[in-house]
Amino acid sequence: MLVIPGSRAKDVCDPHLGPTRRDLLRVGGSAMLGLSLGQVLNLQSNQAQAAEAAVHGPNFGKAKSIILVYLQGGPSHLDLWDPKDNIPDNVKSVFKRIGSKVPGMDLTENLPKLAQQTDKLSLIRSMSYTPVGLFNHTAAIYQMHTGYTADKVSPSGQLEPPTPKDFPNFGCNIIKFKPPEVPMLPFVMMPRPLQESNVVNKSGTAGFLGRAYDPYYLFPPGDDMDMNKMDKINVDDLKLRPEVTSTRLGRRARLREMINAGMPALDKAVESYDLDKYYQTALNLISSGRARDAFDLSQETDKTRDLYGRNTFGQSLLLARRLVEAGTRVVEVIWPKVANSNNHSWDHHVDLSNRMKNQSAPMLDSGLAALIGDMDDRGLLDETLVVAVGEFGRSPQRGVSTSGNNNSADGRDHWPYCYTACVAGAGIARGQVYGESDETASAPKSDPVHPIELLATMYHAIGIDPQSIVYNHLNQPRELVKAEAVTALFG
C-alpha cells in the first residue's frame, strides 16, 4: 500500500519533526509506481511549503538570500526615482525626468542605467514614518535595521554605543532562524560599519542574541574616499596554514570534543559565549575554502567588474552577488561614505546638484543596475530579495531646516514623511510602482509603507513569520518586528 505522508508532523505536537518511522515504512511500496523515497519526501516537502504559503501569503519563503543595499545618509527621492513636474521651483529637482523600460515608471536623468532595469524591479514611492525622536541618522538607522526604536535617544537623535542589550540586526535574526545550508559565512556586512558621528556599528550587531550571530565584518583598510578598498580584502583567517591539512584539522576538532566532554565545569563557565558555534563555523569555513574563493574578485572578468563600477560601492555589490552564489544567506552593503560629510555622501545639506550628479548618483546607477541585471541573467534573482533603501529621504523644499541642520539653497534636509525604496527578486512584482506620493513628494498619497513593514516583508520573503519570538537578555519574549508583510508587493 502506498501512502504519501501529509504535512510535516500533522499528527504530533511538534511541527519541527519530519516523517515518522511509520511514514517511511508505508512508502516502501512506492518504487512500484516509479517513485523513489527521495521523490516521495520531496513531494512531502512541497506539500508543506504550499501549506505554509497558504497561511502566510504569497511567495512566503521564496527567497534563499537577501541583499540589503543600505543607502545610509538618506538619498533625495525627488532627485532620483520620484520626479515631479508643475511644482514650485524650490521643490522641483534640477534634474530632468527620463522614461524607463516600463512606460510611466519614470526616473530622473541621474539613473539612466537603472531605467533600463525597471522591468525587473518595484519602486515603493510611499515609504513613510512619523519621526518621534527619529529625525537624525543614528536613531533612524536603528529602526530600519532592528524594527525597534532605541530606549535612549538624545535631542540630537544620537544613541549610546552598541551594547549586548540592543535589538539584533535583521540579518542576525535571519541566520538564527535560517542558517546557511552549506559551509559558508551566514551574514556578511561591508565595506564599513554603520556609523554616524562617533556612534559606530549601532544596530550592526546581534545584540541580545549573542555574538555567535554577529555578521562577518568585511571592512577593508582605507578611508571613505578610497575607491579601491575592495582590492585590499584580506581573508587570511579563512584559509588553512600550509602545514595544517584538513585531516589534521579534523583530528584537532575531535580531540577538542574529547577534552570538553571531561570538563563540564569549563563548558558551563563559557556556555553564554557560544564558543561551540564559533568553533564549528570556523572549522567548516576553513576546511571547505568556499568563503575564501567567493571573496576572490579577480575571478571576475574586467568587463563584469567595469559594469558594476570600479569603486568601493560597485565592487561591494559584485562581491555580494558572489557571496549569494556561494551560499551566504544575508549580505548588507552599506553606502561607503558616512553621513554628516561631503563628497559622495547622500547627506546632501549643501551642494546637492554637483555632488548628486558627479559623485553619488553615478555610483548608485551603475552598481544597482548591474546587480539587478546580472543576478537576473544568472537566475539568481528568482531566489534572492534585493532591497535598496535609506533611513529617510530629503525635504521637498530646498534650503529649509527640518532637523536642526543648516542647509544651503542647493541642499535638502532630512525627510522621513515620504521617500522611496527599490525592491526586486524573490517574487516581487516586476515593473511595478507601489504606493504614490503627493504632488510634491511630501507625503504618501496612497499605500504608505512603514520601514518596519518593509522589514516584515523581508522576513516573509525568506520564510520567517515576522512576528516570530526571540528572547532578549532578560529572557523576555520579543517579536522580530511588530508589523505585517506588504504582500501586495509580490506579483
Side-chain angles (χ1 to χ4, degrees):
M1 177 180 69
L2 169 66
V3 178
I4 298 177
S7 58
R8 286 161 56 107
K10 70 172 185 176
D11 297 323
V12 295
C13 298
D14 298 304
H16 64 280
L17 295 178
T20 65
R21 180 174 177 270
R22 177 177 295 178
D23 287 331
L24 297 181
L25 290 174
R26 292 165 77 185
V27 300
S30 63
M32 292 185 295
L33 298 180
L35 293 173
S36 68
L37 177 58
Q39 289 171 315
V40 171
L41 295 180
N42 188 51
L43 287 172
Q44 180 191 22
S45 175
N46 291 340
Q47 188 180 47
Q49 290 174 6
E52 280 189 317
V55 172
H56 295 287
N59 294 91
F60 181 80
K62 186 171 177 62
K64 290 185 177 179
S65 302
I66 291 179
I67 297 175
L68 173 62
V69 183
Y70 190 58
L71 307 177
Q72 184 188 330
S76 172
H77 50 300
L78 279 157
D79 297 295
L80 289 172
W81 27 41
D82 193 4
K84 299 292 183 179
D85 300 314
N86 302 316
I87 54 177
D89 288 343
N90 64 349
V91 174
K92 187 177 179 180
S93 174
V94 300
F95 302 110
K96 297 177 182 177
R97 173 192 292 266
I98 62 170
S100 78
K101 206 166 184 180
V102 177
M105 199 171 177
D106 294 352
L107 307 177
T108 74
E109 61 183 312
N110 284 315
L111 301 175
K113 295 178 180 177
L114 192 64
Q116 298 307 306
Q117 303 294 338
T118 53
D119 59 329
K120 304 176 182 69
L121 57 84
S122 283
L123 292 176
I124 307 173
R125 286 180 172 159
S126 54
M127 296 294 300
S128 177
Y129 65 91
T130 301
V132 180
L134 294 171
F135 229 131
N136 283 332
H137 300 283
T138 320
I141 291 168
Y142 190 86
Q143 174 185 250
M144 183 70 250
H145 283 81
T146 69
Y148 286 83
T149 55
D151 293 332
K152 298 179 181 179
V153 182
S154 72
S156 69
Q158 292 283 33
L159 306 184
E160 62 183 7
T163 76
K165 299 180 292 183
D166 288 344
F167 277 91
N169 178 289
F170 78 95
C172 305
N173 283 327
I174 288 174
I175 63 173
K176 175 179 173 62
F177 282 84
K178 293 266 187 179
E181 299 170 354
V182 294
M184 186 56 190
L185 295 164
F187 177 15
V188 178
M189 182 180 285
M190 59 179 163
R192 64 169 182 85
L194 293 163
Q195 177 180 352
E196 199 264 337
S197 298
N198 61 350
V199 181
V200 181
N201 216 26
K202 189 71 171 179
S203 71
T205 74
F208 59 64
L209 287 185
R211 293 192 62 189
Y213 297 102
D214 274 348
Y216 181 89
Y217 300 114
L218 183 67
F219 302 153
D223 63 28
D224 289 353
M225 293 302 294
D226 187 344
M227 292 292 123
N228 299 309
K229 287 177 68 170
M230 303 311 287
D231 291 331
K232 302 174 184 177
I233 293 173
N234 184 346
V235 288
D236 286 344
D237 53 337
L238 294 176
K239 67 181 181 182
L240 289 170
R241 296 199 310 271
E243 71 274 15
V244 181
T245 65
S246 58
T247 302
R248 184 178 174 188
L249 193 67
R251 287 201 302 268
R252 288 184 180 180
R254 289 192 294 274
L255 177 61
R256 175 182 175 277
E257 291 168 0
M258 292 173 60
I259 293 172
N260 282 351
M263 300 180 67
L266 178 60
D267 281 347
K268 182 69 175 177
V270 301
E271 65 181 0
S272 64
Y273 294 96
D274 292 319
L275 295 185
D276 281 337
K277 293 177 183 176
Y278 279 126
Y279 189 88
Q280 192 58 51
T281 299
L283 180 66
N284 291 342
L285 284 170
I286 291 170
S287 60
S288 75
R290 194 182 189 102
R292 185 179 66 254
D293 292 341
F295 281 117
D296 187 3
L297 287 173
S298 68
Q299 294 183 17
E300 297 289 334
T301 66
D302 286 341
K303 181 180 178 181
T304 299
R305 297 193 67 177
D306 292 342
L307 183 69
Y308 278 80
R310 293 282 188 160
N311 54 67
T312 300
F313 179 69
Q315 298 305 291
S316 295
L317 293 183
L318 175 56
L319 181 53
R321 189 219 79 204
R322 291 182 58 83
L323 289 169
V324 164
E325 280 183 305
T328 292
R329 185 73 75 193
V330 182
V331 182
E332 178 169 358
V333 175
I334 301 166
W335 188 255
K337 195 79 172 73
V338 297
N340 283 353
S341 62
N342 53 16
N343 293 298
H344 56 278
S345 164
W346 289 115
D347 203 20
H348 289 139
H349 293 281
V350 298
D351 199 21
L352 181 150
S353 300
N354 172 56
R355 290 166 54 196
M356 176 79 80
K357 178 179 180 180
N358 298 313
Q359 294 179 305
S360 47
M363 288 196 293
L364 173 65
D365 187 40
S366 294
L368 187 57
L371 176 67
I372 292 172
D374 191 17
M375 293 192 67
D376 193 50
D377 290 344
R378 293 167 179 267
L380 294 170
L381 202 57
D382 288 341
E383 296 181 336
T384 305
L385 179 67
V386 178
V387 177
V389 67
E391 59 269 32
F392 38 59
R394 311 302 295 186
S395 61
Q397 187 173 337
R398 292 192 299 273
V400 300
S401 177
T402 61
S403 63
N405 288 287
N406 294 320
N407 299 270
S408 72
D410 187 29
R412 299 187 193 266
D413 210 333
H414 307 169
W415 195 260
Y417 302 104
C418 188
Y419 58 109
T420 299
C422 175
V423 291
I428 293 290
R430 293 175 173 236
Q432 169 183 253
V433 174
Y434 183 85
E436 182 184 1
S437 61
D438 64 15
E439 61 274 8
T440 59
S442 301
K445 190 174 179 179
S446 65
D447 301 314
V449 176
H450 195 284
I452 67 173
E453 292 178 305
L454 182 57
L455 271 186
T457 306
M458 294 160 67
Y459 287 126
H460 172 95
I462 209 160
I464 301 172
D465 185 336
Q467 297 183 25
S468 296
I469 297 297
V470 290
Y471 289 85
N472 69 7
H473 59 292
L474 299 176
N475 204 33
Q476 298 167 321
R478 294 290 183 265
E479 298 97 330
L480 294 183
V481 62
K482 296 179 180 179
E484 300 286 344
V486 185
T487 55
L489 284 168
F490 296 95

